[in-house]
Every structure is written in structure tokens, then in C-alpha cells.
Amino acid sequence: MFKRSKFLAISTIVTASVVLLLALVVVFSLGGAFGSPPTLVFRSNSAQMLYDGSPLSDDGYELLSGQLKAGHTAKVEVTGLQNGVGKSENRIYVTILDALGADVTSDYNVVLEYGILEITPRVISISTGTEYKEYDGEPLEYSSWEINTPDALMPGDSVKVYMTGKQTEIGSAFNTCDVYVYDSNGTDVTYNYEIDVEKGVLTVTPVELHVQSYPY
């Protein structure tokens, strides 16, 4: 009787162990149906260019980590677009499809990393003139200026310079200005340029007085 009970106990333990092992095999074969779904990390490309009037895009991407299950494919759309100087995220959208074309994205933990699209400004160099005069109570202004980098302008764009520098009292001040760039339609496109101004100097000098004394 004791041997039979011992045999039944051992059989029960063995049976329970086999059942538990089979359960673990089923869970893992289902790809973690009762655990965390597999993680896929996608990243869109980054790109940079000098402003040339055209928009910037890049539809490239990379699967950084993770692996698709057998028969599954990734449908990836990269929609980022940067117009004009500045930067923005290169947006990406991912859908996972099975062999029949059904959406099984929910079977995965999809992580998206966005690249950066950046358009950098064109650099324009402007020089203002230098001038001086003797003090006469009137402000000294000098409207002379020149563009040092005419090739930096896009075709059809033009520069408008408004002189702001002046010096009235004896001394010196920079010959400052405000610079704007307009396209052929008269639209302000200054934001597409980086303006570098080499300022001239306005100088007002003292009046020379010649005094002569006479003998008594």
C-alpha cells in the first residue's frame, strides 16, 4: 500500500512537471502572448542642405533593433518636409502586416525615432561706408553701402538696405543699417538668409578755431 502511494505521488509530480513544461513551450512559441510583445525600433533619416528655394525631404529609414515574425512585413511611410530655413522632425509611420495583408501592428511594441530635416541660411555680407565731418550741429549720415557676396543671393532675390546710423555730437558711432531681402514678387524672404554687416564709422570732429592775440 505504501509503495503504491509513493508511486502515485511520483507520477503526479512528473505529470505536473510535464504539463508546466508544455505550458511554457506554448507561451514562448506564441511569441510571448502572455508577456511583453517584441519591440521594433524604427528611425527615419536626417538630412541637411543650404537654402536653394526648394523643400527638403528624405524618405529613408532604418530598423535599428528588433525582428519581424515569419511572414510579417513592415509598411513604412516617411512624410517629413522642411520648407525654407529651419528644422523639423522627419515624421515616420509604421504598420506591420501579416502574410494575408492584415494589420498586426498591435502584436508589437513599435518605437519610432525621428530624424531631423534642416535647411541652413545663405550668408550675405554687407559693408556700410565710413565718413567724417567737422561739428556743425547737424547729424552726420552716410548712405553708402555695398554687398560683398552677390553670388549668395538666389536668382530673383534682391537686397534693400535702410541706413540707420547717425552721429551729431563730437565723437564716433557705427554706420548701422537694417537689411531685408525680397523675392521677385516682393515677398520678404529675409529669414532665408543670414545677414553679416561690416559697419563703417561715422565721426564728427571738433571745429578748429584759430585765435591770435594782438599787443596792447
Side-chain angles (χ1 to χ4, degrees):
M1 184 68 178
F2 175 75
K3 290 183 179 180
R4 183 179 180 184
S5 298
K6 184 176 181 182
F7 173 77
L8 289 174
I10 293 174
S11 298
T12 301
I13 292 173
V14 171
T15 302
S17 299
V18 171
V19 170
L20 179 59
L21 180 61
L22 289 175
L24 291 174
V25 170
V26 170
V27 169
F28 283 110
S29 66
L30 291 176
F34 301 101
S36 299
T39 297
L40 302 176
V41 181
F42 290 86
R43 182 174 65 192
S44 58
N45 287 354
S46 293
Q48 185 184 74
M49 76 173 193
L50 184 67
Y51 170 70
D52 66 1
S54 61
L56 173 63
S57 63
D58 190 318
D59 60 2
Y61 70 92
E62 182 181 4
L63 176 58
L64 293 179
S65 65
Q67 186 173 2
L68 292 167
K69 299 176 183 178
H72 290 187
T73 57
K75 178 183 177 182
V76 181
E77 294 180 83
V78 184
T79 62
L81 185 68
Q82 176 64 33
N83 280 297
V85 170
K87 61 176 65 176
S88 59
E89 294 178 334
N90 195 12
R91 290 279 175 168
I92 181 174
Y93 300 91
V94 177
T95 304
I96 309 300
L97 305 175
D98 66 12
L100 299 177
D103 187 339
V104 292
T105 310
S106 59
D107 292 350
Y108 297 85
N109 175 33
V110 179
V111 177
L112 304 179
E113 296 183 0
Y114 302 129
I116 298 297
L117 301 176
E118 181 178 12
I119 297 180
T120 57
R122 305 177 76 88
V123 179
I124 295 178
S125 175
I126 302 287
S127 293
T128 60
T130 292
E131 186 62 290
Y132 66 92
K133 73 172 185 177
E134 287 187 346
Y135 174 78
D136 62 4
E138 297 295 326
L140 170 61
E141 299 175 283
Y142 193 49
S143 60
S144 174
W145 64 273
E146 64 178 342
I147 180 169
N148 303 320
T149 54
D151 294 340
L153 283 172
M154 289 295 299
D157 290 355
S158 59
V159 173
K160 181 68 175 179
V161 177
Y162 299 92
M163 305 303 299
T164 59
K166 64 175 59 178
Q167 179 68 19
T168 303
E169 303 300 326
I170 294 173
S172 298
F174 286 119
N175 192 11
T176 56
C177 64
D178 293 329
V179 182
Y180 298 90
V181 183
Y182 298 93
D183 66 13
S184 57
N185 297 318
T187 303
D188 187 341
V189 293
T190 310
Y191 60 89
N192 289 317
Y193 294 86
E194 179 181 329
I195 311 297
D196 178 30
V197 179
E198 298 177 9
K199 304 180 187 70
V201 177
L202 302 176
T203 302
V204 175
T205 60
V207 177
E208 291 187 8
L209 296 178
H210 297 277
V211 178
Q212 182 176 352
S213 62
Y214 292 90
Y216 176 73

